[in-house]
Amino acid sequence: MSDHGGEAAQPRNGARDLRLADVAQTTEGPTPAETGTGSAKARRHAFAELLGEFRRTAVLVPLGDGPGPDEERGLLTADFNGIRFVLAFSDEQALARYAVARGETAREWAYQTVLGARLLDVAVPAAGVPCGVALDCADGEDGMVFPPLHGIVPDAAAVDLPVGEGGAA
């Protein structure tokens, strides 16, 4: 777990209805016209708007189970397929749904309020491993993943750029 964050003041209350899979370009499978999802350009534009909204919004980031007071505990993370994700939540209700899904409702959940941009620009590179952000991960298709890719995280933390071009090792 990494220990980076910051303070921001406003809770997130925007809706998310776009998944990363809707944004990814593929060379196989049905065309956008066949799936009714619109053009790839339109999906990329929608994702860029969603990313911008996330970057400007304060989210709740629970602290991990490390020893010591809150200031010494890292941000709660989860590893999936070799990538670490900082877990973030749009509001206390989303964090509560995560606690219920984990069967940990009796536990006290300490958290920090952190601006999305600070998570992507500071916490992700500081992790030292490929890292992204998972927003509202207990909410199924309503959750959102911001993977460590060029244009989402700083180039030095992006896994889709060659190391010589600033990408992560």
Side-chain angles (χ1 to χ4, degrees):
M1 294 187 201
S2 59
D3 185 18
H4 299 280
E7 295 296 320
Q10 302 171 358
R12 178 176 173 90
N13 58 11
R16 291 152 318 282
D17 61 355
L18 190 64
R19 296 177 310 219
L20 183 62
D22 294 333
V23 179
Q25 289 182 311
T26 61
T27 56
E28 300 176 353
T31 66
E34 293 169 334
T35 62
T37 59
S39 72
K41 182 178 179 180
R43 291 190 311 272
R44 284 191 303 275
H45 179 75
F47 181 77
E49 287 181 354
L50 183 65
L51 176 61
E53 178 185 347
F54 175 75
R55 293 182 67 78
R56 294 183 300 272
T57 302
V59 294
L60 308 181
V61 182
L63 301 176
D65 295 328
D70 291 348
E71 303 84 45
E72 296 177 14
R73 292 168 39 188
L75 304 178
L76 185 63
T77 63
D79 291 349
F80 182 72
N81 287 339
I83 298 176
R84 179 162 296 157
F85 288 92
V86 176
L87 303 184
F89 300 89
S90 57
D91 53 34
E92 288 181 345
Q93 292 79 19
L95 177 55
R97 288 189 296 275
Y98 176 76
V100 168
R102 294 199 35 117
E104 296 183 26
T105 55
R107 169 184 162 189
E108 184 175 315
W109 288 84
Y111 62 85
Q112 293 181 347
T113 303
V114 181
L115 197 59
R118 187 161 173 85
L119 283 177
L120 295 172
D121 297 343
V122 178
V124 164
V129 297
C131 185
V133 176
L135 179 66
D136 295 340
C137 59
D139 291 346
E141 290 187 13
D142 290 333
M144 188 69 205
V145 175
F146 298 98
L149 300 176
H150 171 72
I152 297 174
V153 301
D155 286 352
V159 297
D160 61 334
L161 290 178
V163 175
E165 294 181 27

